[in-house]
Amino acid sequence: MKTKLFLAFALFSILAIPVRAELTVDDVTSREYLRNYGYSHATIDILELKKGGVNGEKVYLPSDAKRDEKCKFLRWLERGHAYLDSGMDNGKYLREDTKFSPNFNDL
């Protein structure tokens, strides 16, 4: 009787283990989780921008921190280079409406 009760309790506790393995949306979309599962930094940034846009939050990415640490003159040169080279990332991707014709206000 004791062994049957012990086996039943052991089986019940083994079956209850997956119930405690809970993943929320915030867990699955966190930077650490996505980086551990092999997603690129660009994909993680896009996901954070989309999630922030849906929730109406302002998103500050690590690439923004690198861009803001530069002095004004270097930022001005980088913006000028981004104006001439359309393939360069200027930090506006998925944040503003895309304009397909260059303008003087882009500088």
Side-chain angles (χ1 to χ4, degrees):
M1 177 71 177
K2 288 183 182 179
T3 35
K4 288 182 183 179
L5 185 62
F6 177 72
L7 288 175
F9 180 71
L11 181 66
F12 178 72
S13 45
I14 289 173
L15 292 175
I17 289 173
V19 172
R20 295 184 185 161
E22 178 184 348
L23 287 175
T24 62
V25 174
D26 291 331
D27 294 336
V28 175
T29 57
S30 68
R31 289 189 80 82
E32 299 87 26
Y33 183 87
L34 293 171
R35 195 176 311 121
N36 289 338
Y37 279 89
Y39 289 95
S40 67
H41 293 288
T43 305
I44 296 170
D45 290 346
I46 290 171
L47 186 64
E48 281 194 17
L49 286 171
K50 285 295 197 181
K51 187 170 71 169
V54 168
N55 294 330
E57 301 169 348
K58 183 172 173 59
V59 179
Y60 193 71
L61 300 173
S63 59
D64 298 336
K66 289 178 186 174
R67 191 175 295 116
D68 290 343
E69 289 174 357
K70 296 179 182 175
C71 68
K72 271 188 173 180
F73 181 70
L74 287 177
R75 281 189 297 208
W76 184 80
L77 281 176
E78 192 172 272
R79 287 176 66 191
H81 185 252
Y83 177 74
L84 296 173
D85 183 11
S86 61
M88 186 176 168
D89 181 28
N90 57 1
K92 295 181 182 179
Y93 181 65
L94 292 177
R95 295 180 191 224
E96 297 180 0
D97 293 334
T98 304
K99 298 174 188 169
F100 293 102
S101 58
N103 190 354
F104 184 74
N105 294 331
D106 293 338
L107 295 175

